[in-house]
Amino acid sequence: KDMSFPDMDNSDQEILGGAKTVDHPFWDLDGVHEIIRDWRIILDEYSEVGAERMMVAEAWVATPERLANYLRPDEYQQSFNFDLLASEWDASAMQTIIVEACAQAAAVGSTPTWVLSNHDVVRHATRYGLPIGTDWRRWLLEGPHDVLDIELGQRRARAATLLLLGLPGSSYIYQGDELGLDEVWDLPVDVLDDPVWEQSGHTRKGRDGCRVPLPWTSSGPSFGFGDGTGWLPQPERFGSMSAASQQGDPQSMLELYRLALSVRRQHLVNDESIQMLDVGTSVVAFRRGSGVQCWLNLGQDPVNLPADLTTPETILVRSFPSNDDSVLPGNSAIWLQRD
């Protein structure tokens, strides 16, 4: 921290409010890297005796260049890239994030580490169902809640999963995302447990909605999470979204994750190259070194797919059911493999 203790404005009242500010007095100061290097020396001592350890940084910083500082060879092995998490559902914005993140990580001999949700933010299955520009932190309490399109959020969450797992580097899945869990935004205020609720003077609901216990079974007092009820109430819909309910259903979010992870291990492990493809303003598309292509259509209208890449043998996984493999519907994604 800046030990001169300069006065601050109120921007830091929001969660992580000052994290993206350049030259902030207590976020991302250069001196922190000396401390990290000391940690890394200790960490590497374990590797010398055959007990490998690694560190992952939760570094909310102002620019991709600043994030790369945490990935230098004598610092963290990984550092979460939160830019995709913070991005609107916009092809140009997402493509810029991918290009910059890959370039900056490569400049220090590392790779990006991707996330779509975590314990501090509204789950992406809900964020993607809100109108562009919605302040989702305020929306939890203030609404209007009828603007949420639950079906659209799920469709986009499925598509974003293939983007996340198709990128070079590492991907982290926040607990429950593999079930397609959405934000429990309507938690009664008398059960809220996040300090944000009290510290904001009851003007921010906080992060409890993404921390509701996971449903493992389709019934029971906690849907299989424990012997009794959880510390936050689970909505009834969690029963149909439970791991048991989705098990073996090829159209479920859980089985989509399992298939994509299996294909990722088969085709994308140890392949850190990426080439962006120019296939339209609403589409983010790229080719990996193995030849696998990932297409994400963020628009509403379908786009044509290459005829030589849409045979049963070349389609590896897709986020949508389809009887027409010649097009990629809006808010959908697909992985293709050229023979």
Side-chain angles (χ1 to χ4, degrees), residues 50 56 60 118 141 206 224 229 233 278 320 324:
V56 187
W60 294 81
N118 70 6
L141 186 63
T229 57
D278 184 4
F320 57 98
D324 182 2

Side-chain angles (χ1 to χ4, degrees), residues 13-83:
Q13 296 302 310
E14 295 285 353
I15 301 172
L16 304 169
K20 295 290 186 177
T21 303
V22 177
D23 296 326
H24 193 279
F26 55 81
W27 285 101
D28 189 36
L29 292 183
D30 290 338
V32 75
H33 294 283
E34 299 175 20
I35 300 169
I36 296 167
R37 292 187 184 102
D38 286 342
W39 294 348
R40 181 61 183 266
I41 291 171
I42 296 171
L43 202 70
D44 288 345
E45 291 174 354
Y46 286 86
S47 298
E48 293 173 1
V49 295
E52 290 191 62
R53 299 289 188 271
M54 61 173 286
M55 297 189 296
V56 187
E58 184 180 2
W60 294 81
V61 297
T63 66
E65 293 85 356
R66 297 293 298 183
L67 184 64
N69 290 338
Y70 292 82
L71 292 170
R72 289 177 289 199
D74 56 350
E75 298 194 37
Y76 289 95
Q77 283 92 345
Q78 295 180 345
S79 184
F80 293 124
N81 187 301
F82 295 112
D83 291 340

Side-chain angles (χ1 to χ4, degrees), residues 18 62 86 171 312:
S171 298

Side-chain angles (χ1 to χ4, degrees), residues 156-179:
R156 287 177 170 175
R158 291 175 64 87
T161 295
L162 295 192
L163 174 69
L164 177 80
L165 298 179
L167 288 167
S170 300
S171 298
Y172 279 72
I173 301 167
Y174 179 52
Q175 52 90 15
D177 287 348
E178 75 283 5
L179 301 177

Side-chain angles (χ1 to χ4, degrees), residues 152-337:
L152 178 63
Q154 288 290 328
R155 185 178 180 88
R156 287 177 170 175
R158 291 175 64 87
T161 295
L162 295 192
L163 174 69
L164 177 80
L165 298 179
L167 288 167
S170 300
S171 298
Y172 279 72
I173 301 167
Y174 179 52
Q175 52 90 15
D177 287 348
E178 75 283 5
L179 301 177
L181 295 189
D182 50 0
E183 185 82 3
V184 187
W185 58 264
D186 53 353
L187 286 170
V189 296
D190 61 336
V191 304
L192 297 181
D193 193 46
D194 187 352
V196 168
W197 173 243
E198 295 296 337
Q199 293 174 358
S200 68
H202 296 178
T203 62
R204 295 286 188 277
K205 255 195 166 181
R207 301 160 291 183
D208 288 316
C210 67
R211 302 177 178 189
V212 174
L214 301 189
W216 290 92
T217 59
S218 58
S219 61
S222 65
F223 296 114
F225 190 84
D227 294 333
T229 57
W231 65 93
L232 290 166
Q234 300 154 299
E236 282 300 314
R237 67 178 181 275
F238 269 27
S240 63
M241 303 177 79
S242 67
S245 296
Q246 296 192 41
Q247 175 84 18
D249 177 0
Q251 301 305 320
S252 70
M253 185 74 82
L254 178 60
E255 295 300 340
L256 175 66
Y257 267 89
R258 286 174 169 169
L259 176 59
L261 288 168
S262 175
V263 174
R264 175 184 169 97
R265 284 191 294 269
Q266 182 180 355
H267 293 280
L268 300 178
V269 171
N270 299 322
D271 171 13
E272 302 300 344
S273 64
I274 184 172
Q275 177 188 358
M276 304 306 297
L277 305 175
D278 184 4
V279 296
T281 57
S282 68
V283 180
V284 174
F286 51 85
R287 180 188 296 111
R288 300 291 301 278
S290 61
V292 172
Q293 294 186 20
C294 174
W295 290 48
L296 169 64
N297 182 4
L298 293 96
Q300 301 302 316
D301 298 325
V303 297
N304 293 324
L305 292 167
D308 61 334
L309 285 179
T310 53
T311 67
E313 294 76 24
T314 57
I315 296 176
L316 299 177
V317 58
R318 57 190 174 195
S319 68
F320 57 98
S322 176
N323 295 320
D324 182 2
D325 290 332
S326 67
V327 297
L328 178 62
N331 301 302
S332 299
I334 195 168
W335 288 359
L336 307 165
Q337 170 70 69

Side-chain angles (χ1 to χ4, degrees), residues 62-124:
T63 66
E65 293 85 356
R66 297 293 298 183
L67 184 64
N69 290 338
Y70 292 82
L71 292 170
R72 289 177 289 199
D74 56 350
E75 298 194 37
Y76 289 95
Q77 283 92 345
Q78 295 180 345
S79 184
F80 293 124
N81 187 301
F82 295 112
D83 291 340
L84 272 185
L85 178 156
S87 174
E88 299 279 12
W89 189 254
D90 179 82
S92 177
M94 286 192 175
Q95 176 153 321
T96 297
I97 288 167
I98 292 167
V99 170
E100 290 185 352
C102 291
Q104 293 300 327
V108 292
S110 188
T111 57
T113 300
W114 308 101
V115 293
L116 291 176
S117 285
N118 70 6
H119 60 279
D120 283 328
V121 302
V122 168
R123 286 187 179 274
H124 62 270

